Amino acid sequence: MDILLIAGLWLDGSAWDDVVPTLESLGHRPVPLTLPGQGDGAASATLEDQVAAVLAAIDAAPEKPMVVGHSAACTLAWLAADARPEKVAEVVLIGGFPAADGEPYADFFEAKDGVVPFPGWGPFEGPDSADLDEEARRRIAAAAIPVPTGVTKGLVRLVDERRFDVPVVLVCPEFTPAQAQEWIGAGDVPELGKAKHIDFVDIDSGHWPMVSKPTELAGLLVS
């Protein structure tokens, strides 16, 4: 199976380097994406540019791919399901939830000079980063790429309700499946509240399991 891997804010395709070998050894074709504005030098990139890059990868796949989104990129994966519901085999969301129509993509952190730099580890202290040792923290911070505000402040537009027919797997790292089900049931995640096929998978990690638990994460993606 073709597996498109989309990392969250500040990360390029290299975030999946430790996941790819296991997926390949299991007979799959992982495709880590480096998004416009997150590794290609396009400082003026927009959310629409990132969506277009994901759709191009879907259209280039020889068969219906699994689309994996991490953190903020869970919304990118969901936007792909909205734009190509007939071409996406499954959406996997890791440590995040899709934004609703009309919401900003990822307007969570302070922007400086038209980009949103990695804010340091302060906002992520606690369950998000408890499983990361100092070397892992250093690696993530050193690789972090400021994200253009044209991406983070871009408005999410969802138009095709066939997206709700696409199977969803929610991988729960720093939160539990029970917590995720509670949030969805309470209406806090309206998009997933309408999904017709959703499975919940637990992984004992923080927010970056591709760094701290890459082999286990790879196995979960194709289990």
Side-chain angles (χ1 to χ4, degrees):
M1 174 185 287
D2 289 275
I3 302 175
L4 306 185
L5 300 166
I6 317 167
L9 298 181
W10 311 298
L11 303 175
D12 63 13
S14 68
W16 304 98
D17 281 357
D18 294 336
V19 176
V20 164
T22 300
L23 291 175
E24 290 177 336
S25 72
L26 295 171
H28 299 282
R29 296 178 296 276
V31 182
L33 300 185
T34 289
L35 298 168
Q38 288 181 227
D40 70 344
S44 61
T46 64
L47 176 60
E48 290 76 14
D49 294 331
Q50 292 201 348
V51 173
V54 176
L55 297 183
I58 291 171
D59 292 340
E63 58 188 42
K64 292 169 67 170
M66 172 192 292
V67 181
V68 179
H70 162 254
S71 191
C74 290
T75 296
L76 274 181
W78 195 238
L79 284 164
D82 180 71
R84 298 288 191 275
E86 74 288 353
K87 288 189 174 183
V88 174
E90 184 176 44
V91 169
V92 179
L93 310 175
I94 302 172
F97 303 92
D101 181 63
E103 292 182 345
Y105 172 64
D107 193 13
F108 309 133
F109 301 96
E110 182 181 357
K112 298 178 182 178
D113 300 321
V115 297
V116 177
F118 179 65
W121 290 105
F124 305 109
E125 289 302 331
D128 283 355
S129 62
D131 64 331
L132 297 176
D133 60 22
E134 287 305 314
E135 173 58 19
R137 291 180 181 225
R138 187 201 63 77
R139 282 174 51 205
I140 292 171
I145 301 160
V147 182
T149 56
V151 173
T152 61
K153 294 181 181 295
L155 295 183
V156 172
R157 295 302 182 193
L158 298 163
V159 298
D160 194 333
E161 293 207 348
R162 290 180 298 164
R163 67 186 179 276
F164 299 123
D165 296 320
V166 178
V168 176
V169 175
L170 180 60
V171 178
C172 305
E174 71 271 26
F175 51 86
T176 67
Q179 287 175 310
Q181 290 171 316
E182 180 181 347
W183 298 331
I184 294 168
D188 296 334
V189 191
E191 286 297 306
L192 294 190
K194 297 178 183 179
K196 296 177 182 178
H197 316 279
I198 181 167
D199 291 319
F200 298 84
V201 178
D202 197 15
I203 184 170
D204 184 16
S205 77
H207 192 63
W208 291 269
M210 70 276 277
V211 174
S212 60
K213 295 283 183 71
T215 302
E216 183 178 344
L217 177 61
L220 288 175
L221 291 179
V222 296
S223 61

